[in-house]
Amino acid sequence: MVRMKQDAGRIRIWRNDALAGVELLRASGTQHHFPKHFHEAYSIHLHERGTMAFQYGQPQVALKPGNINILAPGVVHMCLPADEQALNYRCLFVSPAFLQYAVLDPGATRLPLFERLLCLGDLELFQSLGNAHRYLETDDDAFEAETLLTSGLAALATYSGQPHARIEAGSEPRHVTTIREFLDANYDRRIALADLARLVRLNPVYLVRSFRSSVGLPPHAYQRQLRLSRARQLLRLGTPPAEVAEMVGFADQSHLSRLFKQTTGVTPADYAKGL
């Protein structure tokens, strides 16, 4: 059974019961501007129409029809139309567990490096991943969709040619790790910059600059992304949006709705429908 969310601003997000660990997005004729954010899953973007400006460092990447862009979980990025033309694209959000199942032999643990990967001009791979996406949208053949998706992920792994690399504890400044862990544990609390400065005994201006340099977002924006990630989890469990807003630390439901739509392209209510 396909569980489809309502079209909101010509953006749809859904899951298919036949394939756990994969969420899909389809955008048609949209000019939605996604501010800086990150995903908990691997993000695979299949660009179909128009030019999208993708920012995750320097230089900025311009995605054109036929391009595939892959980002690992936690990579901060921003994307928006590069001009006045509306965009069409598809995204697959693949959990680390599903990627491990798809591309690794039993017992293997090191995933390929998908931190920032851009594939240009591979029409066969683009069509294969696009067909998997379409089959999961219509529920025509989940078996074939899974076959196309797993083979496509394996093909993407050959582009990286390197072992997967993550930031390990201790490789970022100790105070950044301390702040990140504090925010992870207290994402739903009201936190002041002064609290963090006292925690690590640093000047607040230096603290913010250093955290942004290591993580890609200032501390307040990182906490907001944690809240939005937890909100998605609660909505999938059927928790009403008003309760979700209170549970994750937003002022009210309207505050959650505004930031949720800004980041995902759909409202919490639209996201939750059919789950």
Side-chain angles (χ1 to χ4, degrees), residues 155-185:
L156 286 174
T158 66
Y159 275 89
S160 68
Q162 303 177 51
H164 181 65
R166 282 184 179 276
I167 295 177
E168 302 293 343
S171 64
E172 63 186 7
R174 182 179 296 275
H175 63 270
V176 171
T177 301
T178 299
I179 294 169
R180 188 199 286 265
E181 291 175 348
F182 180 81
L183 293 173
D184 288 346

Side-chain angles (χ1 to χ4, degrees), residues 15-171:
R15 290 190 168 209
N16 189 301
D17 287 335
L19 213 57
V22 179
E23 187 167 275
L24 304 103
L25 177 150
R26 182 183 178 189
S28 303
T30 183
Q31 289 193 308
H32 188 79
H33 176 167
F34 293 91
K36 282 189 175 182
H37 65 288
F38 58 81
H39 302 284
E40 294 181 315
Y42 289 88
S43 172
I44 302 171
H45 180 109
L46 309 173
H47 205 69
E48 297 179 328
R49 177 190 174 201
T51 302
M52 172 176 274
F54 224 94
Q55 182 75 49
Y56 45 79
Q58 298 294 338
Q60 182 171 276
V61 174
L63 294 182
K64 296 184 179 295
N67 291 172
I68 307 171
N69 191 59
I70 306 96
L71 294 177
V75 174
V76 175
H77 59 288
M78 176 176 67
C79 39
L80 65 157
D83 50 38
E84 296 301 314
Q85 185 177 9
L87 305 176
N88 291 357
Y89 52 87
R90 298 172 184 267
C91 296
L92 300 115
F93 302 106
V94 178
S95 71
F98 188 90
L99 183 64
Q100 181 172 340
Y101 150 74
V103 305
L104 298 184
D105 294 328
T109 58
R110 293 185 67 82
L111 288 169
L113 180 64
F114 283 158
E115 186 174 356
R116 298 178 181 87
L117 180 63
L118 182 63
C119 301
L120 307 174
D122 192 330
L123 183 59
E124 183 177 353
L125 178 56
F126 183 87
Q127 290 177 337
S128 178
L129 290 169
N131 285 336
H133 193 287
R134 278 183 281 274
Y135 288 150
L136 290 169
E137 181 176 5
T138 62
D139 207 20
D140 282 346
D141 194 332
F143 191 9
E144 184 173 2
E146 183 176 5
T147 301
L148 289 169
L149 179 55
T150 53
S151 61
L153 292 173
L156 286 174
T158 66
Y159 275 89
S160 68
Q162 303 177 51
H164 181 65
R166 282 184 179 276
I167 295 177
E168 302 293 343
S171 64

Side-chain angles (χ1 to χ4, degrees), residues 195-215:
D195 297 331
L196 301 181
R198 282 192 296 269
L199 177 68
V200 295
R201 299 182 181 181
L202 286 175
N203 172 274
V205 174
Y206 173 77
L207 182 160
V208 171
R209 185 184 304 125
S210 179
F211 191 91
R212 189 202 300 266
S213 177
S214 294
V215 177

